[in-house]
C-alpha cells in the first residue's frame, strides 16, 4: 500500500504574507514530490505504482516544539519526546486518517533577511520538520528539502560530506557508475547537490534534477 504522508503547512514567522501562503496550500502544491517518488520507484523496479501518497492538513494548532539550540544527547532526547507527543496530539485531532508519516512544513518569509534553521527527519516517530520559503519561486527547492527529510524518516542517510557540504563519492553522485564521473547531470537526493567537478557542486533547481541513488534505495527497502 502507498505510504500515507500528511503535510502540515505552518507559518514560522509573524509575516502576514507567510501566513496567507501557508494557509492556502493544498495537496496539488506537493504533486511534484509525489510524482518524484513514483518515478524513482518505477526506475528501481518497485512494483507499487504509488509509493507515497501526500495529503495536506491544516489541523496543526500552532508550531511544533522548537529544536534545542545545543545538540546535546539529553536535550535532543527530551525534544524528541516532546515532539512525538505533540505530533500524536495533532494526528488525534485531525479529521484525516492517521498517516504513516507526518511532515510539518514551516514556512518563512522569502525576503532573504534571515537564514532558515536546519530541517530534520526522525525515523523514530516517523516525522519530519522542514523549514521552507513562502513563495512560488521557491517551490522547486522546497520540494527537494521535503523529499530529503521524508526519506530520512524511512531510514535514508545523508550522502554529503558534513565538513564541506559536497556530495560524497560515489554514493552521493546522481549516477555513481558514470565514467568519467564529472560533471554529473543530477543530484542524489540525500546529497542535495549536483557534483560538477571535484570540489564543486551546485544546488538543483527542483526534483527533476534529483534521483534516489542505489544506496538510498537499499536503505529505504526499495532494493535488496
Amino acid at each position: 500500500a502507498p505510504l500515507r504522508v500528511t503535510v502540515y503547512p505552518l507559518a514560522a514567522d509573524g509575516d502576514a504574507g507567510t501566513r496567507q501562503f501557508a494557509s492556502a496550500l493544498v495537496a496539488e502544491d506537493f504533486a511534484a514530490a509525489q510524482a518524484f517518488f513514483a518515478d524513482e520507484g518505477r526506475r528501481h523496479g518497485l512494483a507499487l505504482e504509488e509509493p507515497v501518497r501526500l495529503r495536506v492538513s491544516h489541523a496543526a494548532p500552532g508550531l511544533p516544539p522548537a529544536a534545542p539550540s545545543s545538540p546535546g544527547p539529553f536535550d535532543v532526547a527530551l525534544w524528541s519526546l516532546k515532539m512525538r507527543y505533540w505530533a500524536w496530539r495533532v494526528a488525534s485531532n485531525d479529521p484525516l486518517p492517521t498517516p504513516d508519516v507526518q511532515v510539518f512544513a514551516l514556512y518563512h518569509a522569502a525576503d532573504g533577511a534571515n537564514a532558515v534553521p536546519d530541517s530534520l527527519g526522525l525515523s523514530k516517530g516517523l516525522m519530519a520538520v522542514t523549514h521552507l520559503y513562502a513563495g512560488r519561486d521557491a517551490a522547486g527547492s522546497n520540494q527537494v528539502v521535503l523529499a530529503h527529510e521524508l526519506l530520512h524518516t524511512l531510514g535514508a542517510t545523508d550522502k554529503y560530506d558534513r565538513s564541506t557540504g559536497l556530495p560524497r563519492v560515489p554514493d552521493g553522485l546522481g549516477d555513481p557508475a558514470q565514467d568519467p564521473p564529472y560533471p554529473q547531470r543530477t543530484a542524489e537526493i540525500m546529497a542535495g547537490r549536483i557534483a560538477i567537478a571535484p570540489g564543486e557542486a551546485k544546488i538543483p533547481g527542483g526534483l527533476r534534477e534529483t534521483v534516489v541513488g542505489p544506496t538510498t534505495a537499499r536503505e529505504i527497502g526499495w532494493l535488496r
Side-chain angles (χ1 to χ4, degrees):
L3 188 75
R4 298 174 302 173
V5 178
T6 298
V7 180
Y8 298 88
L10 295 160
D13 54 40
D15 183 78
T18 304
R19 290 197 301 271
Q20 182 179 7
F21 180 86
S23 64
L25 290 171
V26 295
E28 286 74 16
D29 292 305
F30 299 91
Q34 184 165 298
F36 167 75
F37 288 111
D39 292 342
E40 288 301 289
R42 191 178 306 111
R43 191 171 66 85
H44 284 291
L46 197 67
L48 196 61
E49 291 186 6
E50 189 182 35
V52 173
R53 182 175 297 162
L54 287 166
R55 299 171 295 189
V56 168
S57 172
H58 295 279
L63 296 175
S69 55
S70 58
F74 176 78
D75 292 332
V76 171
L78 181 60
W79 171 78
S80 177
L81 288 173
K82 290 179 179 179
M83 182 68 200
R84 289 159 72 178
Y85 176 68
W86 183 85
W88 172 80
R89 290 185 61 188
V90 170
S92 298
N93 294 311
D94 192 341
L96 290 176
T98 302
D100 299 309
V101 180
Q102 293 169 284
V103 177
F104 299 99
L106 277 56
Y107 286 88
H108 302 256
D111 54 12
N114 298 295
V116 300
D118 290 337
S119 299
L120 50 91
L122 302 176
S123 57
K124 291 184 178 179
L126 291 173
M127 68 189 70
V129 178
T130 60
H131 290 276
L132 311 172
Y133 286 109
R136 297 295 173 186
D137 291 345
S141 58
N142 284 345
Q143 301 269 357
V144 172
V145 172
L146 187 142
H148 177 102
E149 299 303 337
L150 176 55
L151 286 167
H152 268 315
T153 71
L154 306 179
T157 60
D158 287 324
K159 306 295 186 301
Y160 59 86
D161 187 319
R162 291 187 178 275
S163 63
T164 64
L166 294 170
R168 291 201 314 248
V169 178
D171 60 350
L173 302 179
D175 182 1
Q178 179 180 304
D179 185 25
Y182 303 102
Q184 292 280 313
R185 296 186 297 274
T186 57
E188 211 288 345
I189 185 65
M190 300 309 294
R193 284 177 169 80
I194 303 172
I196 303 302
E200 183 181 353
K202 68 176 183 178
I203 297 175
L207 288 170
R208 290 183 179 275
E209 297 181 4
T210 67
V211 297
V212 173
T215 301
T216 298
R218 290 187 189 93
E219 290 172 338
I220 65 173
W222 282 7
L223 295 177
R224 295 187 181 276

